Amino acid sequence: MQPRIPRQPAQDQGTIHADDDAGLGAELAAVVAGARRRAVRDGDRQVDTAHLLHSLIESDPEVRAAVGDAPQLARLLGYLVQRSIGYGLRWQGAVEDSGALPVVRPAEGKGDGAWSPVAAAALEYARCRARRRGADRADGADLLAGLVVDPESRAVEVLERAGVAARDLAVRIDGDGAVRDPGAGSRTSSG
């Protein structure tokens, strides 16, 4: 009988690789570690934006406040929990790819818990957004902004299914409705 929870190599058990936590504050580094553990536990090949959203919502009160009121949060958390037992099963074994980036293969030696292209772009967006506002480290709002930039991401799909309009959320994060993408040239393919 196979174990229900896939085993992680010793170096991967709850740790964050150096390239994952660079430019992230301690709280956000914990969010990244939680998303990695959730992906491995769920048997997903890659950490995607829904894993990051789930971990972020659970740990950051400011992000929860930006997302909405208690009923909206409860519905959102319900959808996030269901991903491993319901509609999320269709995501297992598939790479989260909105088409904006080339699909990347997991780095050799990392195995389970590699980043989807969209999740990696969201983390990079968070770092760039933090630098734009003059901060050394990204925070939860920076990552949330990165998660809603790509309208085809799994995080946006989950938000929309839970009744949280991603575009309205972007307005609440940035105040003026403009979600600026500092890496727009590198995140889109030009034929």
Side-chain angles (χ1 to χ4, degrees), residues 11-92:
Q11 74 274 12
D12 246 308
Q13 292 183 4
T15 63
I16 302 171
H17 298 287
D19 57 336
D20 294 344
D21 67 349
L24 304 179
E27 295 84 8
L28 205 50
V31 166
V32 167
R36 181 180 292 281
R37 284 189 303 271
R38 178 169 277 111
V40 171
R41 182 191 63 227
D42 291 348
D44 294 333
R45 286 182 35 206
Q46 294 185 322
V47 180
D48 65 26
T49 58
H51 294 120
L52 284 168
L53 178 64
H54 195 163
S55 191
L56 187 60
I57 293 293
E58 286 181 337
S59 66
D60 193 318
E62 289 180 28
V63 167
R64 287 193 299 272
V67 167
D69 58 11
Q72 227 171 4
L73 282 169
R75 188 168 182 193
L76 175 58
L77 283 170
Y79 275 106
L80 288 165
V81 168
Q82 285 180 16
R83 82 170 269 142
S84 63
I85 59 172
Y87 74 91
L89 290 176
R90 67 187 165 88
W91 291 338
Q92 283 187 343

Side-chain angles (χ1 to χ4, degrees), residues 133-190:
R133 58 181 180 79
D136 292 332
R137 304 273 183 199
D139 64 14
D142 295 322
L143 180 55
L144 184 59
L147 293 174
V148 299
V149 164
D150 189 335
E152 301 296 317
S153 74
R154 290 178 182 169
V156 168
E157 180 181 338
V158 171
L159 286 164
E160 297 283 341
R161 285 180 181 260
V164 179
R167 186 71 197 141
D168 293 344
L169 182 55
V171 170
R172 289 193 296 273
I173 297 167
D174 283 341
D176 64 358
V179 177
R180 293 170 190 84
D181 186 354
S186 63
R187 289 187 59 195
T188 58
S189 58
S190 56

